Amino acid sequence: MAGLKAVLFDNDGTLVDSRELLLASFHYAGPAVLGRQLSDEEYLQKVGQPLAVQVKDYTDDPVLQERFCEAYRAHNKTVHDKMIKAFPGTVEALAELASAGLKLGVVTSKRHAVAWRGLEVVGAASYLDCCVGWDDIERPKPDPQPVVRGCELLGFDPSECLYVGDAPFDLQSGNAAGASTAAVTWGMFNEPVLTAERPSFVSHTWDELIASTLALL
């Protein structure tokens, strides 16, 4: 691929280190609603998809699913700003990519307002030209629709865009949309899980991602 015009990023696990925030919210909602605590691995296995999708693995009861989401979000809201942080080098990387003339955006399975709040808190929002949350689309990742919507908002064809994520669902969505994809290994999923989705390239550090991305210009 050459002629790259824009880069879209996943949020949690890619730009924002929210692992401890997510686990704190899960640890609250599990006992409060389900009466039991799941393992961290069970809670995190589908991070990258909407919470309403994830919770179906915890209980088949639609009422409990809704109560779990409500409890999770209520707790998350109380600790969000003090627990959320950018991965080291994130803001500097966004600044460098923006200065190279690339349009930047976020495509996330979080609600739009919550994701944008986090990006503001960590200092990343000012470099971003769009944000697509799960409440902005009809079909969440791994469907291609979220990435396609992000490309539309930035004004480019998916073939001119790169989607960067730390989850297999990110890469599935980006590949299906017709975008190039980059897997990053500092998030929630290990490298073999990511390479199985055949990303355009894998980056272990922000410096690697910047170099590989700028090579596509």
Side-chain angles (χ1 to χ4, degrees):
M1 175 188 177
L4 183 70
K5 299 294 192 301
V7 184
L8 293 162
F9 297 91
D10 171 55
N11 187 48
D12 293 289
T14 301
L15 297 180
V16 174
D17 182 358
S18 55
R19 178 186 173 89
E20 296 309 313
L21 169 65
L22 300 181
L23 284 174
S25 303
F26 281 127
H27 291 164
Y28 174 80
V33 177
L34 305 178
R36 69 186 193 279
Q37 192 69 275
L38 279 66
S39 69
D40 290 357
E41 291 73 21
E42 289 174 295
Y43 282 134
L44 296 176
Q45 66 182 342
K46 286 189 178 177
V47 169
Q49 294 189 295
L51 181 63
V53 174
Q54 297 177 58
V55 74
K56 291 178 181 179
D57 286 350
Y58 314 151
T59 175
D60 295 327
D61 186 332
V63 174
L64 289 181
Q65 291 171 6
E66 181 61 29
R67 286 179 55 201
F68 187 99
C69 290
E70 290 173 353
Y72 176 102
R73 289 169 180 152
H75 183 76
N76 188 281
K77 186 175 181 179
T78 66
V79 298
H80 180 273
D81 287 5
K82 65 182 179 183
M83 293 193 71
I84 204 165
K85 59 185 177 180
F87 286 103
T90 294
V91 175
E92 295 83 356
L94 294 177
E96 185 169 347
L97 293 173
S99 70
L102 290 164
K103 293 291 186 181
L104 308 177
V106 162
V107 174
T108 176
S109 292
K110 263 188 171 173
R111 290 177 294 166
H112 184 128
V114 176
W116 194 252
R117 171 62 185 170
L119 293 164
E120 289 179 327
V121 168
V122 304
S126 61
Y127 297 102
L128 301 169
D129 301 292
C130 76
C131 178
V132 178
W134 73 259
D135 46 344
D136 295 317
I137 45 85
E138 294 78 35
R139 300 182 302 278
K141 295 180 288 185
D143 192 275
Q145 188 187 47
V147 175
V148 171
R149 181 68 55 85
C151 296
E152 291 173 347
L153 290 173
L154 294 180
F156 298 109
D157 188 83
S159 64
E160 301 174 293
C161 300
L162 172 70
Y163 186 48
V164 181
D166 74 303
F169 320 111
D170 302 326
L171 304 174
Q172 292 162 9
S173 181
N175 287 336
S180 295
T181 53
V184 298
T185 60
W186 54 77
M188 310 281 188
F189 292 85
N190 62 42
E191 189 166 349
V193 170
L194 300 175
T195 56
E197 301 302 333
R198 304 179 65 85
S200 305
F201 59 88
V202 178
S203 295
H204 305 88
T205 66
W206 273 112
D207 285 343
E208 285 185 10
L209 182 71
I210 290 169
S212 296
T213 300
L214 296 181
L216 299 176
L217 292 175

